[in-house]
Amino acid sequence: MTTSVLAAPPKGQGQGRGRTKLSHDEILRYSRHLILPEVGPQGQQRLKDARVVLIGAGGLGSPAALYLAAAGVGTIGLVDFDVVEESNLQRQVIHGTGTLGQSKLDSASARIRDLNPHVHVERFETRLTSENALEILADFDVVADGTDNFPTRYLVNDACVLLGKPNAYGSIFRFEGQASVFYAKEGPCYRCLFREPPPPGLVPSCAEGGVLGVLPGIVGSIQALEVVKLILGVGETLVGRLVLFDALQLSFRELALRKDPGCPVCGNAPTITELIDYEAFCGIEAAPTYDGAEVSAPDVAREIREGAGVVLLDVREPQEWDICHIEGAMLLPLGTLPATLGALDDRAKIVTYCHKGVRSLKALEILKSAGVSNVRSLRGGIDAWSRAIDPSVPRY
Amino acid sequence: MAVTLTLPTVLANLAEGNKTLEAEGHTLGDAIDNVSGRYPQLASRLRDEDGTPYPFVTFYLNDQDIRLNGGFDVELHEGDEITIVPAIAGG
Ligand SMILES: [Zn+2]
């Protein structure tokens, strides 16, 4: 049996059991909750008193915010600094075609207001950083982590451990999701599961690797569910359990999580006692610089026009090649590269390219270490090519 | 011992798309060597050059985190199920 993460409501002073401050409108709106013995008027009042902050108003944050607002969580904090883009709408259901180009906070706030005017939205139009995280999160009862990058995930985890807050965690990639509640007061934290992040570039982001649009609907809803249970103090939360969801198999697996006594932030002798530099921790600053190894789209176009013998090497996946590719290029997906190097003439002037210019730099490294000297990477990838050179190439 | 390894999609792509692999070995480390031999691209994603586990890939033996039960030296039994859970960060 769990207890609510909210402080117990004040007793006495004529505030008898069962008395709430819900208006008639609210009683009607929440009637399906009120008749559940596990919620009832007191539970609904708890939801109204609760303060929940969502880190990210994207794929996971969208369903989480919608369901938490509908459920009557009184205050929802939103931390995001992005703008609504067309490619978000395949999964970020809180936004719409009518809010394209708006900030995600404007778009999400308007949708929440329409869904439930009793909800107060607190807006943090900023990137969550080591400088502001403790201040932002300190005022909330529960945190829901729906960010899209490792530095912010470790930042949210460490801030929650330091502040003693529960973190309803969800993460997705392609067809698979993970969910848990990291609550160091009662169980393990994210670092107990993954002590350190993978090096940059090893695990592709959803922007690079893709994600099925329905998947965040399921995982983000699990996060909202866990938030509600933490507030109500009912049922068994995911503290100490990791749920793995596979959309293609439609299977849920549950694994036991244990607190790692050696955990650097929640273990017996923590070495992390304040927030650190998470970009550096995730190896992002340590990434090598590529001075002179990159070439701009206009320069490549000019070299091709001048007949300089440029060989364009597309290192994306075949399905990306099918969306669009640069005329005359050759497809050698990054994953095949060490093995397919033999197909390349080592005297060719090679320019590698990918979607946005990240994977092509990895390809460049592989080619250089295989002894190919004349190789550069297209800065900004085919996306930059579409914008600067050939608008008939669709952007994605 | 014959055991089963379950891979997430992100790693299954390095094992010809197989989400479950049969493996042989007395210890978990042996079983990983066994599948690494068959799928060389998978090898470097399961353990580092020294053969030790990465901090961002967690192995479960029948639903228990192996780090608390001997790591890659944990002994296997016929029919054991190993689940590989990599850190993902999409949102
Ligand atoms: Zn921990």
Side-chain angles (χ1 to χ4, degrees), chain A residues 188-192 259-260 263 265-267:
Chain A
C189 81
Y190 183 60
R191 281 186 194 261
C192 295
K259 206 171 175 78
D260 176 1
C263 174
V265 66
C266 84

Side-chain angles (χ1 to χ4, degrees), chain B residues 45-90:
Chain B
R45 299 296 292 270
L46 300 181
R47 47 164 168 60
D48 69 15
E49 285 166 4
D50 306 324
T52 44
Y54 292 116
F56 46 84
V57 182
T58 303
F59 288 79
Y60 281 85
L61 176 60
N62 303 325
D63 304 343
Q64 292 298 320
D65 186 337
I66 57 111
R67 289 174 301 173
L68 307 161
N69 301 313
F72 280 178
D73 295 331
V74 63
E75 282 188 24
L76 300 179
H77 300 92
E78 191 73 22
D80 275 348
E81 290 185 15
I82 297 153
T83 306
I84 301 172
V85 184
I88 55 174

Side-chain angles (χ1 to χ4, degrees), chain A residues 24-350:
Chain A
H24 285 196
D25 278 356
E26 289 171 291
I27 288 169
L28 193 54
R29 174 181 285 265
Y30 303 127
S31 60
R32 300 297 187 279
H33 270 171
L34 300 178
I35 58 178
L36 288 172
E38 292 80 2
V39 184
Q42 284 127 325
Q44 193 64 47
Q45 183 64 44
R46 273 203 170 137
L47 289 169
K48 183 174 179 171
D49 292 340
R51 298 173 52 81
V52 177
V53 62
L54 307 180
I55 317 300
L60 296 170
S62 286
L66 289 171
Y67 273 112
L68 292 173
V73 167
T75 303
I76 296 178
L78 296 175
V79 185
D80 204 304
F81 60 96
D82 270 345
V83 166
V84 181
E85 293 177 29
E86 198 116 26
S87 64
N88 299 151
L89 300 181
Q90 160 257 21
R91 65 198 179 285
Q92 301 185 14
V93 294
I94 201 167
H95 311 297
T97 309
T99 62
L100 283 174
Q102 288 183 18
S103 76
K104 287 192 178 173
L105 287 198
D106 281 347
S107 170
S109 305
R111 181 75 183 90
I112 291 172
R113 210 177 309 119
D114 178 54
L115 178 60
N116 188 347
H118 302 287
V119 175
H120 172 64
V121 176
E122 287 190 12
R123 303 159 51 110
F124 300 93
E125 195 145 18
T126 174
R127 183 189 292 275
L128 196 74
T129 66
S130 301
E131 286 68 45
N132 63 23
L134 293 176
E135 200 184 338
I136 291 173
L137 303 191
D139 282 341
F140 290 90
D141 302 304
V142 187
V143 178
D145 175 9
T147 54
D148 60 0
N149 63 84
F150 284 109
T152 315
R153 292 204 176 268
Y154 281 90
L155 167 61
V156 171
N157 179 70
D158 293 359
C160 286
V161 173
L162 295 175
L163 293 165
K165 309 278 183 194
N167 172 15
Y169 159 88
S171 192
I172 50 172
F173 183 65
R174 291 189 173 161
F175 298 99
E176 287 167 336
Q178 302 176 351
S180 187
V181 172
F182 296 116
Y183 193 13
K185 271 186 183 172
E186 296 188 356
C189 81
Y190 183 60
R191 281 186 194 261
C192 295
L193 175 61
F194 299 117
R195 192 176 283 202
E196 288 172 27
L202 184 67
V203 179
S205 68
C206 290
E208 289 171 340
V211 61
L212 189 71
V214 185
L215 175 65
I218 291 160
V219 177
S221 299
I222 291 175
Q223 291 178 271
L225 175 64
E226 293 303 296
V227 168
V228 167
K229 284 158 61 187
L230 286 162
I231 294 167
L232 295 176
V234 299
E236 297 298 327
T237 66
L238 284 178
V239 172
R241 295 188 286 156
L242 176 69
V243 166
L244 303 178
F245 175 65
D246 181 331
L248 290 181
Q249 309 293 323
L250 209 299
S251 69
F252 286 94
R253 282 229 33 208
E254 181 184 322
L255 299 168
L257 290 182
R258 278 205 270 161
K259 206 171 175 78
D260 176 1
C263 174
V265 66
C266 84
N268 296 335
T271 52
I272 297 167
T273 54
E274 56 184 28
L275 298 180
I276 59 172
D277 179 343
Y278 291 88
E279 301 272 314
F281 172 66
C282 294
I284 287 167
E285 283 181 352
T289 52
Y290 295 98
D291 288 342
E294 288 182 304
V295 57
S296 73
D299 285 348
V300 175
R302 184 178 42 76
E303 289 177 28
I304 292 172
R305 261 198 324 271
E306 290 169 356
V310 170
V311 175
L312 279 170
L313 200 61
D314 190 325
V315 301
R316 300 172 303 154
E317 298 302 310
Q319 66 275 17
E320 295 181 88
W321 170 272
D322 290 344
I323 299 168
C324 59
H325 54 263
I326 300 176
E327 184 101 16
M330 173 178 171
L331 177 67
L332 285 184
L334 182 62
T336 70
L337 257 190
T340 45
L341 267 181
L344 291 174
D345 180 346
D346 61 4
R347 286 160 304 177
K349 288 180 73 174
I350 294 164

